[in-house]
Amino acid sequence: MKVVIVEDEPLAAEKLERYLLKYSEDIEVLTTLPSLQEAIPWIEENQGRVDLFFLDIQLSDGLSFEIFSKISVKKPVIFTTAF
């Protein structure tokens, strides 16, 4: 399973990746994206390669929900948050 993590806090992204890889060796984290500015174009161009997205709700440049008003996301999403 190929996943993408959208998370602006490096330690939280690393911890999530560790949990995922511990859960299953079949999980591959394609990339970690730290902002809406980086996530929107990446998702638009590459979502065909992805099976699942993990999106932090509160990012440094806005809420991850804004992604859905900019592009059509056709893959499952799990929202994550520290709050």
Side-chain angles (χ1 to χ4, degrees):
M1 173 181 287
K2 296 179 182 189
V3 304
V4 169
I5 298 171
V6 178
E7 170 64 66
D8 61 340
E9 299 206 22
L11 293 177
E14 290 170 14
K15 189 172 189 176
L16 177 55
E17 183 170 354
R18 278 195 314 274
Y19 283 150
L20 291 170
L21 298 177
K22 185 176 180 181
Y23 176 75
S24 173
E25 293 176 2
D26 294 330
I27 294 175
E28 177 186 356
V29 178
L30 294 176
T31 190
T32 299
L33 303 162
S35 67
L36 293 174
Q37 183 178 359
E38 292 183 44
I40 292 170
W42 193 97
I43 293 169
E44 191 170 37
E45 291 180 28
N46 297 287
Q47 73 173 306
R49 301 174 29 211
V50 180
D51 297 308
L52 178 64
F53 290 101
F54 287 88
L55 304 180
D56 181 20
I57 294 173
Q58 181 70 46
L59 300 167
S60 60
D61 60 347
L63 299 175
S64 62
F65 301 124
E66 295 175 42
I67 293 171
F68 304 104
S69 66
K70 307 279 185 198
I71 60 172
S72 176
V73 178
K74 298 177 173 108
K75 302 293 178 150
V77 172
I78 295 176
F79 291 101
T80 61
T81 186
F83 296 104

